Amino acid sequence: MSSEPLTVLGVVNDYAPGADGVIQVSPHERADISLEYRASDGAYFITLPGYNRGALYTTGYHGSYIDGSAWQNIYGTYNQLLDGESGRQDAFVYLAWPKGPLSTEDTLTYTSWGNWEDDGGLNGKARTGNYGYFAYGIPTTGSDVPKTGTATYSADIKGTANYNYDPNSLYVDYVTGTAELRFDFGAGTLAGEMNPWVCPWDCYPIGTYTFVETVYASGSTVFSGKFARDGTTLPSWFEGNFNGPGAAELMARFSAPYVTTIEGREFSGTIGGIWIGRKN
């Protein structure tokens, strides 16, 4: 893990029972999150919306064993959020690891991700709280962004779709899929599209979201835009930045509405989350 300063992009959903007892959930909003790594002892400290800054106390690992006796790969950690360096706050955080000695799958080198939720659990709970996803990475410096040529980046989507499954319970589904971003570094242009899938039980594609109203200037480390479906611009947004030397990788966060029919039932709400990707 790197002790270099980390940039974090996140999205958050707040939820609470309304006056009629039906759980209301906000659309995906930008989240102010900070993540720090202390190299002296390998500790991570995170500040999440609605929580105090706290250390991540690891309670388990996501990975694979060799013969059930030793870790072959560690892809991430499950963590309790502490209050400072002690105590406990009511949140669990999953932190995925970038590629390294114990994470040798085809992950990124300068970019990774995580998520959090209330430790009481979400599904079916009439509670007040929040949940979200974030991407983190080592940002590219302005002098290291290419100013000529073109590049295409392929990114994975990690996020959620929210909807009310029954009158008294909030259910949150995973969102997966891919995004492609095409930059002309000299001209300062960006084009691309996102192809998300929502996963209520199996995963189902919900169509192509085309980039519109993109903002990118030659030499910039950041970019943004909106989405359109069938030629109509949606009330939506995405924004991101490059990570690593030579803008080798990128990360972004996004929010957009969706409506889809799965096995005869209509699902609608917002999708949101993060992209993490690399230059092809």
Side-chain angles (χ1 to χ4, degrees):
M1 299 296 174
S2 173
S3 58
E4 296 185 47
L6 298 171
T7 296
V8 185
L9 295 175
V11 295
V12 61
N13 296 87
D14 296 304
Y15 62 94
D20 56 0
V22 176
I23 293 178
Q24 304 297 317
V25 60
S26 73
H28 296 77
E29 303 288 352
R30 297 170 177 85
D32 291 326
I33 299 170
S34 66
L35 181 65
E36 310 155 45
Y37 177 68
R38 189 166 65 190
S40 61
D41 60 0
Y44 276 97
F45 292 83
I46 194 168
T47 304
L48 296 169
Y51 296 95
N52 297 328
R53 176 181 179 273
L56 296 179
Y57 177 78
T58 299
T59 59
Y61 293 88
H62 172 213
S64 57
Y65 271 130
I66 301 174
D67 298 327
S69 60
W71 286 107
Q72 180 180 23
N73 287 293
I74 297 177
Y75 307 134
T77 56
Y78 301 99
N79 307 272
Q80 175 72 55
L81 177 62
L82 301 184
D83 194 347
E85 296 192 48
S86 62
R88 167 180 164 155
Q89 299 185 77
D90 293 332
F92 280 131
V93 179
Y94 175 76
L95 193 66
W97 287 11
K99 190 171 185 178
L102 286 176
S103 182
T104 56
E105 65 172 359
D106 189 25
T107 52
L108 304 178
T109 302
Y110 306 100
T111 311
S112 196
W113 64 278
N115 61 17
W116 82 94
E117 64 178 52
D118 182 293
D119 72 0
L122 287 173
N123 289 349
K125 305 292 185 181
R127 299 174 57 94
T128 298
N130 65 36
Y131 60 89
Y133 273 75
F134 58 90
Y136 68 95
I138 301 171
T140 304
T141 62
S143 61
D144 204 18
V145 176
K147 296 178 178 61
T148 60
T150 62
T152 298
Y153 292 75
S154 296
D156 292 327
I157 301 170
K158 299 181 184 297
T160 56
N162 56 52
Y163 66 96
N164 287 97
Y165 186 77
D166 61 48
N168 297 303
S169 299
L170 165 69
Y171 278 73
V172 178
D173 289 329
Y174 294 110
V175 172
T176 185
T178 60
E180 183 174 281
L181 299 87
R182 298 180 291 275
F183 290 90
D184 187 321
F185 292 120
T189 61
L190 166 62
E193 55 277 326
M194 173 178 72
N195 290 283
W197 295 50
V198 296
C199 306
W201 41 88
D202 292 321
C203 293
Y204 299 87
I206 58 174
T208 297
Y209 288 68
T210 303
F211 294 4
V212 294
E213 298 182 31
T214 56
V215 178
Y216 175 68
S218 180
S220 177
T221 62
V222 299
F223 52 87
S224 62
K226 296 181 180 180
F227 301 107
R229 294 286 307 273
D230 301 321
T232 299
T233 300
L234 303 173
S236 57
W237 54 266
F238 70 86
E239 56 193 22
N241 63 263
F242 296 113
N243 288 336
E249 298 175 0
L250 58 70
M251 66 185 190
R253 57 186 172 184
F254 72 93
S255 177
Y258 80 101
V259 178
T260 191
T261 300
I262 300 174
E263 297 184 5
R265 176 176 176 172
E266 182 176 288
F267 290 73
S268 64
T270 65
I271 57 172
I274 53 100
W275 304 334
I276 58 171
R278 61 161 63 93
K279 191 184 298 183
N280 293 347

